């Protein structure tokens, strides 16, 4: 079978590993699509290549949609023809989180991740997986279900913010029309906007797009207001609005991720989701920063990865988005490539790109 192998820094090749056997207790999956994201680009360009022990490459691909084509002995909850999405992280097997299906919150750091760290990904024509790491997807979501993994990250980001802000629920409700800012309109930011559009928040998105760009138009259809992050525009808006109740950072550029702290209001929470492997530095006025945070009960929290519960919630949201917004979600997938054009998929730098997908069937 063909697979996307990351061999060394900036070196991805189509490799031909043997097709894995569908042993007892496993499910055999034909990969339909795999999504490409900033994580893939970071590990390719940074040289942070971590193949499974003893292997010369790691198969990329942690975002996927597949179809069950074979079911191993002893598997009763999946059948041939089921559409499935696989989760990414495999827990350490030791800590309380990992022993309770919450490997995204591992305490030891000894986890592995398919397509990222120590385990082959789903970027191959065929993959096998244990049923407990798979989520079924209804057939009517086939066109958008490759978004399940990135959406699961947005689910966790929103959940993290709302969990912190439980401290500000009155009669079981968050303050009405509280202002929420999403920084970044890539997949995580855009999908977080979809989720938050279903709630009673005043929704803002900031980024570097022009008002006329298709992505901004999409965000406006969700009821979001767009603030261009040029000059002092964002700062002025934040001042005028009295700061934000929740900010979700989905840019992956640390100087901006820190700047966002300035735009929190009283009791605000900033959730940072971007992974940065660079070496940017900023000057920090630590007294002012600490005073502001303490004086205004502000919280800054980072989060990474997602667990199977977030994946299940994500599938539920995909259904809900489809019911409410029709095919709007399809616009999040801006580029599709056949497997043979994987280099173009990985190097696509178009300004309007959101989710890039490799289609294994075309
Ligand atoms: Zn990803
Ligand atoms: Zn663990």
């Amino acid at each position: 079978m063909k697979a996307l192998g990351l061999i060394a820094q900036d070196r991805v090749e189509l490799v031909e590993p043997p097709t894995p056997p569908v042993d007892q207790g496993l499910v055999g999956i034909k990969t339909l699509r795999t999504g490409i994201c900033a994580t893939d680009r970071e590990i390719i360009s940074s040289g942070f290549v971590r193949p499974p022990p003893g292997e010369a490459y790691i198969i990329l691909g942690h975002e996927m949609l597949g179809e069950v084509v074979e079911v191993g002995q002893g598997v009763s909850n999946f059948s041939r023809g089921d559409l499935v999405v696989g989760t990414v992280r495999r827990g350490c097997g030791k800590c309380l989180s990992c022993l309770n299906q919450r490997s995204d919150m591992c305490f030891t750091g000894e986890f592995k991740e398919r397509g990222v760290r120590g385990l082959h990904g789903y970027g191959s024509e065929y993959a096998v997986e244990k049923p407990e790491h798979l989520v079924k997807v209804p057939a009517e979501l086939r066109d958008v279900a490759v978004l399940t993994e990135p959406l699961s990250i947005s689910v966790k980001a929103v959940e993290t913010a709302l969990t912190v802000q439980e401290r500000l629920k009155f009669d079981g409700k968050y303050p009405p029309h509280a202002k929420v800012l999403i920084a970044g309109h890539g997949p995580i930011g855009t999908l977080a906007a979809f989720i938050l559009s279903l709630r009673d928040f005043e929704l803002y998105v900031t980024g570097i797009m022009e008002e006329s760009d298709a992505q901004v138009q999409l965000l406006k259809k969700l009821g979001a207001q767009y603030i261009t992050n040029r000059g002092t525009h964002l700062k002025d808006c934040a001042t005028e609005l009295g700061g934000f109740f929740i900010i979700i950072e989905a840019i992956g550029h640390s100087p901006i991720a820190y700047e966002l702290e300035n735009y929190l209001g009283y009791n605000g929470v900033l959730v940072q989701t971007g992974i940065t492997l660079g070496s940017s530095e900023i000057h920090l006025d630590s007294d002012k920063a600490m005073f502001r945070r303490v004086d205004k009960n502000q919280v800054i929290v980072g989060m990474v990865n997602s667990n199977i519960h977030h994946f299940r919630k994500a599938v539920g949201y995909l259904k809900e988005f489809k019911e409410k917004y029709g095919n709007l979600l399809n616009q999040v997938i801006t580029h599709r490539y056949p497997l043979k054009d994987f280099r173009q998929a990985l190097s696509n730098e178009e300004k309007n790109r959101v989710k890039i997908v490799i289609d294994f069937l075309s």
Side-chain angles (χ1 to χ4, degrees):
M1 66 170 185
K2 290 191 177 64
L4 282 173
L6 173 62
I7 294 166
Q9 184 171 15
D10 287 323
R11 197 171 149 216
V12 181
E13 305 280 351
L14 269 191
V15 292
E16 299 220 11
T19 303
V22 185
D23 293 335
Q24 191 173 358
L26 291 177
V27 175
I29 304 156
K30 180 173 73 176
T31 306
L32 303 176
R33 284 172 205 130
T34 181
I36 303 290
C37 78
T39 302
D40 298 300
R41 290 160 185 265
E42 284 273 1
I43 57 176
I44 292 168
S45 65
S46 68
F48 221 41
V49 184
R50 291 173 290 188
E55 304 219 16
Y57 56 81
I58 180 169
I59 298 174
L60 292 170
H62 58 277
E63 304 179 6
M64 63 85 82
L65 171 68
E67 184 181 327
V68 174
V69 287
E70 212 178 328
V71 177
Q73 241 183 28
V75 176
S76 56
N77 47 347
F78 287 90
S79 326
R80 288 173 67 159
D82 283 346
L83 290 182
V84 288
V85 172
T87 61
V88 179
R89 190 176 281 189
R90 301 293 169 264
C92 68
K94 300 175 197 168
C95 80
L96 207 52
S97 293
C98 291
L99 293 172
N100 285 283
Q101 291 191 314
R102 295 184 61 190
S103 58
D104 59 314
M105 303 297 275
C106 179
F107 280 99
T108 68
E110 293 171 27
F111 54 81
K112 293 178 177 176
E113 290 174 338
R114 288 200 69 157
V116 179
R117 177 169 161 163
L119 289 174
H120 285 314
Y122 300 103
S124 53
E125 290 174 305
Y126 194 79
V128 293
E129 189 49 276
K130 290 182 185 164
E132 64 257 39
H133 301 309
L134 294 172
V135 174
K136 266 188 225 180
V137 174
E140 66 266 24
L141 297 176
R142 188 184 179 103
D143 51 345
V144 288
V146 71
L147 296 171
T148 304
E149 195 277 344
L151 178 56
S152 75
I153 305 292
S154 306
V155 167
K156 182 175 169 183
V158 171
E159 189 183 279
T160 301
L162 295 181
T163 302
V164 172
Q165 297 305 53
E166 286 277 327
R167 62 192 180 150
L168 288 157
K169 270 187 160 175
F170 303 93
D171 292 330
K173 289 181 184 155
Y174 297 106
H177 313 300
K179 295 167 183 67
V180 174
L181 174 71
I182 296 168
H185 35 55
I188 305 302
T190 303
L191 293 169
F194 268 91
I195 298 170
L196 286 160
S197 74
L198 304 176
R199 287 179 168 268
D200 183 26
F201 290 127
E202 224 174 271
L203 186 57
Y204 297 82
V205 179
T206 186
I208 51 166
M209 291 277 190
E210 309 289 341
E211 285 282 328
S212 56
D213 284 330
Q215 287 318 120
V216 176
Q217 296 307 314
L218 184 157
L219 292 163
K220 287 189 170 173
K221 284 180 190 152
L222 300 175
Q225 299 180 56
Y226 190 71
I227 308 171
T228 172
N229 188 13
R230 293 177 195 273
T232 60
H233 210 70
L234 177 58
K235 187 179 175 194
D236 297 343
C237 280
T239 307
E240 197 179 308
L241 294 169
F244 293 95
F245 181 65
I246 291 171
I247 301 179
I248 293 180
E249 177 277 323
I251 294 178
H253 181 54
S254 60
I256 296 180
Y258 275 89
E259 181 192 324
L260 291 171
E261 185 186 348
N262 301 320
Y263 309 140
L264 288 173
Y266 276 94
N267 313 316
V269 56
L270 165 61
V271 180
Q272 296 180 337
T273 74
I275 296 275
T276 53
L277 298 175
S279 54
S280 303
E281 290 180 10
I282 53 163
H283 169 82
L284 179 72
D285 291 321
S286 55
D287 273 344
K288 281 187 192 154
M290 185 170 170
F291 176 78
R292 195 177 47 231
R293 198 175 309 161
V294 171
D295 191 51
K296 292 187 175 176
N297 299 300
Q298 293 171 343
V299 178
I300 300 181
V301 55
M303 61 126 271
V304 71
N305 197 254
S306 55
N307 64 47
I308 193 143
H309 308 295
H310 301 117
F311 275 73
R312 291 196 183 114
K313 267 193 186 174
V315 172
Y317 272 126
L318 289 177
K319 266 192 248 171
E320 220 173 321
F321 299 159
K322 203 150 201 167
E323 277 159 25
K324 180 157 186 194
Y325 297 117
N327 286 333
L328 196 60
L329 190 63
N330 299 54
Q331 290 180 27
V332 177
I333 303 174
T334 49
H335 296 79
R336 295 172 191 268
Y337 295 89
L339 181 59
K340 69 178 175 55
D341 294 337
F342 71 93
R343 285 186 207 285
Q344 279 134 282
L346 292 171
S347 62
N348 184 318
E349 294 288 347
E350 283 177 44
K351 189 175 138 237
N352 68 347
R353 72 175 196 269
V354 185
K355 179 47 66 191
I356 294 167
V357 164
I358 294 179
D359 201 328
F360 277 72
L361 296 187
S362 61

